[in-house]
Amino acid sequence: MSGKQHYYGDYSNRDTNENQNALSRPVRRHLVHVYLALAAMCAIATVGTQVGEYLGPAGSTLGSLGAIGSVSTFRFTAPNSTSRWSLLGAYSMFSGIALSNFLSFFMDWDPSGNVIFLALSSAVLIFLGFSFSAVMANRRSMLYIGGFSSTIVSVLLWLSLANAFFLRSASVFSFELYAGLLAFAGFVMYDTQMIVERASAGSRDIPGHSMELFMDLYSLFIKLAQILMKKEMDRENERKKKRGSSRLTRDF
């Protein structure tokens, strides 16, 4: 009899855990709205890159200032208010404008656009994979990653300063890129689970939650683009070295 009670007790505990991990219908609906808003932000940012290209070199500065101003004002607006949605759209536009010079540099180096396309598609796939894994995982199981990622970013900040003024090492720069990519991938999982927990607690701030995920995706794209471009530059340098050595061989 005790064995039966223990047997059924295990099942009841398992059912309780499954019920705790299951997302309610309002939370699932909220996540759908957040991802749709995120897609709209990406579309607006794409338009912003075209505007930034039209503005020229001044576009990057204007976009950066506009993005900072939008985020600063965004914090003081009420959740889901009209002003909050307007600032969300403005932030998306200014983020795209700020990215225009960055993209122009890559297009000058690689006119085919393969590097940008590969970086963008990889960033989207990584984001979706990590975000959906956080949604499907046990609730609160990945919240510790936020502290881990924040620590990495803090260390990288000091390391980048040391590398800029003292070390000047290409290996350290490569480490910064890959460690930064790891940190922002961690932020995707952390922010996704935080959104789930806030939505479960009654906070359905679609613009605020969309902005958090947009920042993660934006950072992933920049890091991946830098990594891919560095690889292309290293390959080009290797080709030049081989050409130079082959010319010397012919001369002798």
Side-chain angles (χ1 to χ4, degrees), residues 49-132:
T49 58
Q50 301 301 315
V51 175
E53 186 176 350
Y54 174 78
L55 294 175
S60 180
T61 304
L62 176 64
S64 299
L65 293 175
I68 294 172
S70 300
V71 170
S72 301
T73 311
F74 186 86
R75 297 178 179 179
F76 301 101
T77 56
N80 295 318
S81 61
T82 303
S83 57
R84 198 170 181 85
W85 280 105
S86 300
L87 287 170
L88 185 73
Y91 173 76
S92 305
M93 178 65 70
F94 283 123
S95 296
I97 295 174
L99 199 63
S100 58
N101 286 351
F102 181 80
L103 295 178
S104 297
F105 169 77
F106 282 84
M107 293 302 295
D108 291 339
W109 179 270
D110 179 29
S112 65
N114 291 332
V115 173
I116 293 298
F117 175 77
L118 183 58
L120 181 60
S121 57
S122 300
V124 171
L125 290 175
I126 291 174
F127 175 85
L128 292 177
F130 279 84
S131 186
F132 287 159

Side-chain angles (χ1 to χ4, degrees), residues 184-235:
F184 288 115
F187 277 128
V188 171
M189 293 187 289
Y190 170 76
D191 288 334
T192 301
Q193 285 213 330
M194 282 300 297
I195 289 171
V196 170
E197 293 305 315
R198 290 169 184 162
S200 300
S203 175
R204 309 289 163 77
D205 182 15
I206 298 174
H209 296 166
S210 302
M211 179 175 284
E212 291 177 3
L213 294 182
F214 179 80
M215 289 179 176
D216 295 335
L217 179 58
Y218 192 89
S219 301
L220 279 176
F221 168 69
I222 290 177
K223 287 298 179 184
L224 282 168
Q226 290 175 333
I227 289 172
L228 293 174
M229 180 54 69
K230 187 176 184 303
K231 285 187 175 182
E232 288 295 323
M233 288 181 174
D234 291 341
R235 288 175 186 170

